[in-house]
Amino acid sequence: GGPYVFACGRHVYYKGLEHLVEASTQVSAKVVVGGEGPLTPALKLLARRLRANVEFTGVLAERALIDHLHACSVFAFPSCERSEAFGIAMLEAQACAKPVVATRLGTGVEYVNLDGQTGLNVAPRDAAALAEALNRLLQNKAMAAEFGDAGRERVRREFDVRTVARRELELYRSLL
């Protein structure tokens, strides 16, 4: 029940989930984090220590993941290292018409989440900026819906399997 921010992925160093847990203390909605990994115990400890409004779901079955993507208000992608090269999870959220708050890493993350079009991008490791962007979309439902619709349309247009396969084939042909 109620609006919530959703993030999911393997709980590893480059996902920046500790910054999302920290930001959650300033976010006006619950934060739900799916997945598990080596950092799960530390993230749970941090959430308890900060008295953060965070729920950890553990690994989600495909249907549960899809349900969360449809039910959430905003999708968070707080990665903090250039090891995060692209971000398929953002495409999955955008396919469900969800606005995304991601980080500016100088990688494909910004290509997936177009700042001011499909969501908002903030500096990595900046919990205050992350919270501010999440709250902005939680409080401005029209903007969130506009970004969500734009993301879904872009996924359909740019990331459809036939479109990607055609572009890849054209690239190979151009290199031969």
Side-chain angles (χ1 to χ4, degrees), residues 40-119:
T40 302
L43 292 168
K44 288 181 175 180
L45 182 63
L46 178 62
R48 279 194 302 275
R49 188 170 55 77
L50 296 176
R51 297 184 181 158
N53 190 13
V54 177
E55 177 182 327
F56 294 91
T57 67
V59 175
L60 294 168
E62 184 178 0
R63 182 73 248 168
L65 173 62
I66 293 167
D67 288 345
H68 275 292
L69 289 171
H70 282 288
C72 72
S73 301
V74 180
F75 186 79
F77 198 80
S79 294
C80 61
E81 297 288 341
R82 290 182 53 82
S83 308
E84 188 69 76
F86 189 73
I88 290 173
M90 289 186 292
L91 291 176
E92 294 170 337
Q94 290 170 341
C96 296
K98 296 304 167 181
V100 175
V101 173
T103 49
R104 292 188 298 269
L105 297 173
T107 65
V109 171
E110 293 96 320
Y111 176 71
V112 174
N113 191 46
L114 301 176
D115 190 41
Q117 295 177 43
T118 62

Side-chain angles (χ1 to χ4, degrees), residues 146-165:
E146 181 181 323
F147 288 169
D149 290 344
R152 180 178 52 207
E153 180 53 37
R154 185 163 182 261
V155 166
R156 286 180 180 159
R157 186 181 65 248
E158 299 289 327
F159 297 100
D160 174 81
V161 68
R162 291 173 300 265
T163 302
V164 172

